[in-house]
Amino acid sequence: MLLSTVLLGFVPGTALASAIDSRQATGSITVNLAQTYQTMDGFGTSEAFQRAVTIKRLSETEQRKTLDLLFSRDKGAGLSILRNGIGSSPDMSDDHMVSIQPKNPGGPAAEPKYTWDSSDNGQLWVSTEAVHTYGVRTIYANAWSAPGYMKTNGNDANGGSLCGVSGATCSSGDWKQAYANYLVQYIKYYAAANISVTHLGFLNEPDLTTSYASMRSSGAQAADFIKILRPTLDKNNLTSIIINCCDTMGWSVMNTMLGQMRSVESMLGTATGHSYTSTATSTLSTKLKSWMTEAGDNEGAWTSAWYSNGGAGEGMTWANNIYTAVTSANVSAYLYWIGAQDRSSNTNSKLIRVVNKAVEPSKRLWAMGNWSRFVRPGAVRVGASGSGVRTSAFRNVDGAVAVQVINSGSEKPVTITTSGAGFVAAKAEAWVTDNTRDCNSIAASVDASGKVTGSVPARSMVTFVLRPAAAGK
Ligand SMILES: *[C@@H]1O[C@H](CO)[C@@H](O)[C@H](O)[C@H]1NC(C)=O
Ligand SMILES: *[C@@H]1O[C@H](CO)[C@@H](O)[C@H](O)[C@H]1NC(C)=O
Ligand SMILES: *[C@@H]1O[C@H](CO)[C@@H](O)[C@H](O)[C@H]1NC(C)=O
Ligand SMILES: *[C@@H]1O[C@H](CO)[C@@H](O)[C@H](O)[C@H]1NC(C)=O
């Protein structure tokens, strides 16, 4: 939209350009559209554990501000995936997510006694906004645990396993089918509210026992359940639902679980892992899509800085974390833990905090946004290389090519040349994010051969968007 002014803003050979050139050699970035990698599903976050409830309590103005920051492509990060928690708790005390069947119906074969409060711990509201106001298409429904009465320890918290998977026998019987039916019912409640759940997970951090909803599982035990879940979904005409597994605490743990799940890999859709005990720095050994479904600086004191000293909560750190996961770990999606939170906790576990009703985004949100807004669902990562900067590139469904450049050194002029797929850049735009600028438009020009020239300021992330002549956008 700012195209015409941007295009001519930077003319190589002007005093400014030559001043820059004399300080540092030009970095050449080459983008090869003929070399293709993973297809992206997007970037996202969660309002689970009643974070949605606390946001819903704000005034309408503050609610809108929060939702805009999360999902709007003009006013916010333009996140494209929402991860919801499927409740397993008997009540909503503290931050419990209440179950759709809080009480044992009388055994695994008994007639189910589901209840629906049309709130789902506030998440139906966030989902409705995400989907119908902002056009989000990917809803990941993820259970942290089965309800307690389906588990070996009789509690939805404190670990325990699903009764009926290998090595987990219970006097109450085998609950695998009942748990599969329960998850199907949850999806049906959402469908009745006109929200299509697209991805379903039945485990969260199965390698960890905690005092909140948690359920242990090995890969073999997860496979036992998937053998029941997939046909149950299919029988209910939910063939398009993609099963995600297993949201392990550490990324590398997912490899161990996958090793025990080869027999059900064809029933699975996405291999999912978190970035706590190990981060997403290498590929999982699977042909399935991989998603990094939870990361956060959950202990660090709140910061909204882009860059100060490379701390774990800073925006530039997250821009780099995402870069590594996308380029080295082959992820098709990257999700931060909590989106917005209005609860007393002064850590970086969320992207946006609300204090005394004041909505405050961090630069972590904008780091997510600088990826999410430009790398849209369906974009295919393509070859990109450059010296002295970290770079990646994607071809979007609309034909535009987005090139990310992260520069942790001093200001660097760059050129971008593309090859492959018959792509010739005819228009170029660039946006910079650093300590003082908030995705400000900066100069980028393109010559008759399609070569793009621009500059990447010190300690910044710049996204170039290249469009072919025919796209007309
Ligand atoms: C359901 O959602 C779709 C968009 O996803 C919308 O076009 C349609 O009007 C909605 N239907 C109802 C009954 O709200
Ligand atoms: C699934 O769809 C078929 C064909 O539309 C229909 O006959 C059947 O009743 C549906 N089954 C369920 C469980 O909704
Ligand atoms: C990357 O992920 C895709 C699925 O999205 C898979 O087909 C491909 O084999 C993976 N590549 C590597 C190197 O693991
Ligand atoms: C990029 O980050 C800056 C803050 O550093 C933010 O103001 C800007 O809106 C972000 N851009 C996008 C597209 O999210």
Side-chain angles (χ1 to χ4, degrees), residues 82-119:
L82 178 64
R83 174 176 176 230
N84 288 332
I86 301 176
S88 54
S89 302
D91 55 52
M92 280 186 78
S93 69
D94 193 13
D95 61 3
H96 292 177
M97 293 187 283
V98 71
S99 163
I100 58 165
Q101 188 174 247
K103 291 208 176 81
N104 186 342
E111 185 69 23
K113 290 185 182 145
Y114 301 124
T115 62
W116 181 239
D117 61 6
S118 293
S119 161

Short mmCIF file of all heavy atoms in Angstrom, two decimals, residues 82-119:
data_model
loop_
_atom_site.label_atom_id
_atom_site.label_comp_id
_atom_site.label_asym_id
_atom_site.label_seq_id
_atom_site.Cartn_x
_atom_site.Cartn_y
_atom_site.Cartn_z
N LEU A 82 -4.92 -20.94 16.63
CA LEU A 82 -5.31 -20.84 18.04
C LEU A 82 -5.30 -22.24 18.64
O LEU A 82 -5.89 -23.17 18.09
CB LEU A 82 -6.71 -20.22 18.16
CG LEU A 82 -7.26 -20.11 19.58
CD1 LEU A 82 -6.43 -19.16 20.45
CD2 LEU A 82 -8.73 -19.64 19.55
N ARG A 83 -4.60 -22.37 19.75
CA ARG A 83 -4.54 -23.67 20.44
C ARG A 83 -5.42 -23.60 21.69
O ARG A 83 -5.16 -22.82 22.61
CB ARG A 83 -3.09 -23.96 20.85
CG ARG A 83 -2.90 -25.21 21.70
CD ARG A 83 -1.42 -25.44 21.97
NE ARG A 83 -1.16 -26.56 22.84
CZ ARG A 83 -0.36 -26.50 23.92
NH1 ARG A 83 0.23 -25.36 24.25
NH2 ARG A 83 -0.15 -27.57 24.64
N ASN A 84 -6.46 -24.41 21.70
CA ASN A 84 -7.38 -24.43 22.84
C ASN A 84 -7.12 -25.64 23.71
O ASN A 84 -6.74 -26.70 23.23
CB ASN A 84 -8.83 -24.50 22.34
CG ASN A 84 -9.30 -23.19 21.73
OD1 ASN A 84 -8.81 -22.13 22.09
ND2 ASN A 84 -10.25 -23.27 20.81
N GLY A 85 -7.39 -25.49 25.01
CA GLY A 85 -7.27 -26.61 25.93
C GLY A 85 -8.61 -27.31 26.08
O GLY A 85 -9.61 -26.67 26.36
N ILE A 86 -8.63 -28.63 25.87
CA ILE A 86 -9.86 -29.40 26.11
C ILE A 86 -9.87 -29.74 27.60
O ILE A 86 -8.96 -30.39 28.10
CB ILE A 86 -9.87 -30.70 25.27
CG1 ILE A 86 -9.77 -30.38 23.77
CG2 ILE A 86 -11.12 -31.53 25.59
CD1 ILE A 86 -9.68 -31.62 22.88
N GLY A 87 -10.89 -29.27 28.31
CA GLY A 87 -10.92 -29.41 29.77
C GLY A 87 -10.99 -30.86 30.23
O GLY A 87 -11.57 -31.72 29.57
N SER A 88 -10.40 -31.10 31.42
CA SER A 88 -10.47 -32.42 32.03
C SER A 88 -10.84 -32.33 33.50
O SER A 88 -11.02 -33.36 34.16
CB SER A 88 -9.10 -33.12 31.90
OG SER A 88 -8.07 -32.30 32.42
N SER A 89 -10.99 -31.11 34.02
CA SER A 89 -11.20 -30.93 35.46
C SER A 89 -12.67 -31.02 35.84
O SER A 89 -13.55 -30.72 35.03
CB SER A 89 -10.64 -29.57 35.90
OG SER A 89 -9.27 -29.48 35.59
N PRO A 90 -12.94 -31.39 37.09
CA PRO A 90 -14.34 -31.47 37.54
C PRO A 90 -14.95 -30.10 37.80
O PRO A 90 -16.17 -29.98 37.94
CB PRO A 90 -14.26 -32.30 38.82
CG PRO A 90 -12.84 -32.28 39.26
CD PRO A 90 -11.99 -31.95 38.07
N ASP A 91 -14.14 -29.05 37.88
CA ASP A 91 -14.67 -27.72 38.24
C ASP A 91 -13.82 -26.64 37.56
O ASP A 91 -12.90 -26.94 36.80
CB ASP A 91 -14.62 -27.53 39.75
CG ASP A 91 -13.21 -27.76 40.30
OD1 ASP A 91 -12.26 -27.13 39.76
OD2 ASP A 91 -13.04 -28.58 41.22
N MET A 92 -14.16 -25.37 37.85
CA MET A 92 -13.40 -24.26 37.27
C MET A 92 -12.64 -23.48 38.33
O MET A 92 -12.31 -22.31 38.13
CB MET A 92 -14.35 -23.31 36.53
CG MET A 92 -14.73 -23.79 35.15
SD MET A 92 -15.69 -22.58 34.24
CE MET A 92 -14.44 -21.42 33.68
N SER A 93 -12.40 -24.10 39.49
CA SER A 93 -11.70 -23.36 40.54
C SER A 93 -10.27 -23.07 40.08
O SER A 93 -9.68 -23.81 39.29
CB SER A 93 -11.71 -24.14 41.84
OG SER A 93 -10.90 -25.28 41.74
N ASP A 94 -9.75 -21.99 40.59
CA ASP A 94 -8.41 -21.53 40.22
C ASP A 94 -8.35 -21.39 38.69
O ASP A 94 -9.16 -20.67 38.12
CB ASP A 94 -7.36 -22.49 40.77
CG ASP A 94 -5.96 -21.89 40.70
OD1 ASP A 94 -5.85 -20.68 40.45
OD2 ASP A 94 -4.99 -22.64 40.85
N ASP A 95 -7.43 -22.08 38.03
CA ASP A 95 -7.41 -21.97 36.57
C ASP A 95 -7.78 -23.29 35.90
O ASP A 95 -7.43 -23.52 34.75
CB ASP A 95 -6.06 -21.44 36.08
CG ASP A 95 -4.89 -22.34 36.46
OD1 ASP A 95 -5.14 -23.42 37.05
OD2 ASP A 95 -3.74 -21.99 36.15
N HIS A 96 -8.49 -24.15 36.62
CA HIS A 96 -8.90 -25.44 36.03
C HIS A 96 -9.75 -25.24 34.78
O HIS A 96 -10.59 -24.36 34.74
CB HIS A 96 -9.76 -26.23 37.03
CG HIS A 96 -9.00 -26.70 38.23
ND1 HIS A 96 -9.60 -27.39 39.27
CD2 HIS A 96 -7.69 -26.60 38.55
CE1 HIS A 96 -8.69 -27.68 40.18
NE2 HIS A 96 -7.52 -27.21 39.77
N MET A 97 -9.54 -26.10 33.81
CA MET A 97 -10.42 -26.10 32.64
C MET A 97 -11.45 -27.20 32.85
O MET A 97 -11.11 -28.39 32.90
CB MET A 97 -9.60 -26.40 31.37
CG MET A 97 -8.62 -25.28 31.03
SD MET A 97 -7.82 -25.56 29.43
CE MET A 97 -6.61 -26.80 29.84
N VAL A 98 -12.71 -26.79 32.98
CA VAL A 98 -13.76 -27.76 33.31
C VAL A 98 -14.02 -28.68 32.12
O VAL A 98 -13.95 -28.28 30.97
CB VAL A 98 -15.05 -27.06 33.80
CG1 VAL A 98 -15.75 -26.32 32.67
CG2 VAL A 98 -15.99 -28.05 34.48
N SER A 99 -14.31 -29.93 32.45
CA SER A 99 -14.56 -30.99 31.48
C SER A 99 -15.98 -30.91 30.91
O SER A 99 -16.88 -30.38 31.58
CB SER A 99 -14.35 -32.33 32.20
OG SER A 99 -14.93 -33.38 31.49
N ILE A 100 -16.19 -31.47 29.73
CA ILE A 100 -17.56 -31.57 29.19
C ILE A 100 -18.28 -32.78 29.80
O ILE A 100 -19.45 -33.00 29.53
CB ILE A 100 -17.58 -31.69 27.64
CG1 ILE A 100 -16.78 -32.89 27.14
CG2 ILE A 100 -17.13 -30.39 26.99
CD1 ILE A 100 -17.06 -33.28 25.70
N GLN A 101 -17.58 -33.55 30.62
CA GLN A 101 -18.21 -34.64 31.37
C GLN A 101 -17.51 -34.70 32.74
O GLN A 101 -16.66 -35.54 32.98
CB GLN A 101 -18.07 -35.97 30.62
CG GLN A 101 -18.86 -37.11 31.25
CD GLN A 101 -18.82 -38.39 30.41
OE1 GLN A 101 -19.83 -38.82 29.87
NE2 GLN A 101 -17.65 -39.00 30.30
N PRO A 102 -17.90 -33.75 33.61
CA PRO A 102 -17.17 -33.60 34.86
C PRO A 102 -17.27 -34.84 35.76
O PRO A 102 -16.37 -35.10 36.55
CB PRO A 102 -17.83 -32.40 35.54
CG PRO A 102 -18.61 -31.71 34.47
CD PRO A 102 -18.98 -32.76 33.46
N LYS A 103 -18.39 -35.57 35.66
CA LYS A 103 -18.59 -36.73 36.55
C LYS A 103 -18.54 -38.03 35.76
O LYS A 103 -19.01 -38.10 34.63
CB LYS A 103 -19.95 -36.61 37.25
CG LYS A 103 -20.02 -35.47 38.25
CD LYS A 103 -21.04 -35.80 39.34
CE LYS A 103 -21.07 -34.74 40.40
NZ LYS A 103 -21.89 -33.56 40.01
N ASN A 104 -18.03 -39.03 36.41
CA ASN A 104 -18.00 -40.38 35.86
C ASN A 104 -19.43 -40.82 35.53
O ASN A 104 -20.28 -40.84 36.41
CB ASN A 104 -17.38 -41.32 36.90
CG ASN A 104 -17.17 -42.72 36.36
OD1 ASN A 104 -17.75 -43.12 35.36
ND2 ASN A 104 -16.32 -43.47 37.05
N PRO A 105 -19.71 -41.12 34.28
CA PRO A 105 -21.09 -41.53 33.93
C PRO A 105 -21.43 -42.91 34.49
O PRO A 105 -22.57 -43.36 34.36
CB PRO A 105 -21.07 -41.54 32.40
CG PRO A 105 -19.64 -41.79 32.02
CD PRO A 105 -18.81 -41.14 33.10
N GLY A 106 -20.47 -43.61 35.08
CA GLY A 106 -20.74 -44.92 35.68
C GLY A 106 -19.90 -46.04 35.08
O GLY A 106 -20.16 -47.21 35.33
N GLY A 107 -18.92 -45.67 34.30
CA GLY A 107 -18.04 -46.69 33.71
C GLY A 107 -17.83 -46.43 32.24
O GLY A 107 -18.55 -45.62 31.64
N PRO A 108 -16.85 -47.10 31.65
CA PRO A 108 -16.52 -46.83 30.25
C PRO A 108 -17.65 -47.17 29.28
O PRO A 108 -17.74 -46.56 28.21
CB PRO A 108 -15.29 -47.70 29.99
CG PRO A 108 -15.16 -48.62 31.14
CD PRO A 108 -15.90 -48.04 32.29
N ALA A 109 -18.51 -48.12 29.64
CA ALA A 109 -19.57 -48.52 28.71
C ALA A 109 -20.90 -47.82 29.01
O ALA A 109 -21.86 -47.97 28.26
CB ALA A 109 -19.75 -50.04 28.75
N ALA A 110 -20.94 -47.04 30.09
CA ALA A 110 -22.20 -46.38 30.47
C ALA A 110 -22.56 -45.28 29.46
O ALA A 110 -21.69 -44.76 28.77
CB ALA A 110 -22.07 -45.78 31.86
N GLU A 111 -23.84 -44.96 29.39
CA GLU A 111 -24.32 -43.85 28.55
C GLU A 111 -23.60 -42.56 29.00
O GLU A 111 -23.62 -42.22 30.17
CB GLU A 111 -25.83 -43.72 28.76
CG GLU A 111 -26.51 -42.70 27.89
CD GLU A 111 -26.55 -43.11 26.41
OE1 GLU A 111 -26.45 -44.32 26.10
OE2 GLU A 111 -26.66 -42.20 25.58
N PRO A 112 -22.92 -41.85 28.08
CA PRO A 112 -22.20 -40.64 28.50
C PRO A 112 -23.14 -39.56 29.05
O PRO A 112 -24.32 -39.52 28.67
CB PRO A 112 -21.53 -40.17 27.21
CG PRO A 112 -21.62 -41.29 26.25
CD PRO A 112 -22.80 -42.12 26.65
N LYS A 113 -22.61 -38.72 29.92
CA LYS A 113 -23.39 -37.59 30.47
C LYS A 113 -22.63 -36.30 30.21
O LYS A 113 -22.06 -35.69 31.10
CB LYS A 113 -23.59 -37.78 31.97
CG LYS A 113 -24.53 -38.91 32.31
CD LYS A 113 -24.78 -38.99 33.80
CE LYS A 113 -25.70 -40.16 34.13
NZ LYS A 113 -25.34 -40.79 35.42
N TYR A 114 -22.62 -35.92 28.92
CA TYR A 114 -21.90 -34.71 28.54
C TYR A 114 -22.71 -33.47 28.90
O TYR A 114 -23.95 -33.48 28.86
CB TYR A 114 -21.64 -34.69 27.03
CG TYR A 114 -20.84 -35.88 26.51
CD1 TYR A 114 -21.36 -36.70 25.50
CD2 TYR A 114 -19.58 -36.18 27.02
CE1 TYR A 114 -20.64 -37.77 25.00
CE2 TYR A 114 -18.85 -37.26 26.53
CZ TYR A 114 -19.38 -38.06 25.52
OH TYR A 114 -18.67 -39.12 25.04
N THR A 115 -22.02 -32.38 29.21
CA THR A 115 -22.70 -31.09 29.41
C THR A 115 -21.90 -30.03 28.66
O THR A 115 -20.67 -30.10 28.58
CB THR A 115 -22.75 -30.67 30.89
OG1 THR A 115 -21.42 -30.50 31.37
CG2 THR A 115 -23.47 -31.68 31.75
N TRP A 116 -22.59 -29.05 28.14
CA TRP A 116 -21.91 -27.99 27.37
C TRP A 116 -22.37 -26.65 27.90
O TRP A 116 -23.57 -26.37 27.93
CB TRP A 116 -22.25 -28.15 25.89
CG TRP A 116 -21.62 -27.15 24.96
CD1 TRP A 116 -22.27 -26.29 24.12
CD2 TRP A 116 -20.21 -26.92 24.75
NE1 TRP A 116 -21.36 -25.57 23.39
CE2 TRP A 116 -20.09 -25.93 23.76
CE3 TRP A 116 -19.06 -27.47 25.31
CZ2 TRP A 116 -18.85 -25.45 23.31
CZ3 TRP A 116 -17.83 -27.00 24.86
CH2 TRP A 116 -17.73 -26.01 23.87
N ASP A 117 -21.43 -25.83 28.31
CA ASP A 117 -21.78 -24.53 28.90
C ASP A 117 -21.67 -23.38 27.89
O ASP A 117 -21.78 -22.22 28.25
CB ASP A 117 -20.93 -24.27 30.15
CG ASP A 117 -19.43 -24.21 29.82
OD1 ASP A 117 -19.06 -24.26 28.62
OD2 ASP A 117 -18.62 -24.12 30.77
N SER A 118 -21.42 -23.70 26.63
CA SER A 118 -21.28 -22.68 25.58
C SER A 118 -20.22 -21.64 25.91
O SER A 118 -20.30 -20.49 25.45
CB SER A 118 -22.63 -21.98 25.31
OG SER A 118 -23.51 -22.91 24.76
N SER A 119 -19.27 -22.01 26.72
CA SER A 119 -18.17 -21.11 27.04
C SER A 119 -16.83 -21.81 26.80
O SER A 119 -15.92 -21.24 26.21
CB SER A 119 -18.26 -20.66 28.51
OG SER A 119 -17.01 -20.16 28.94
#
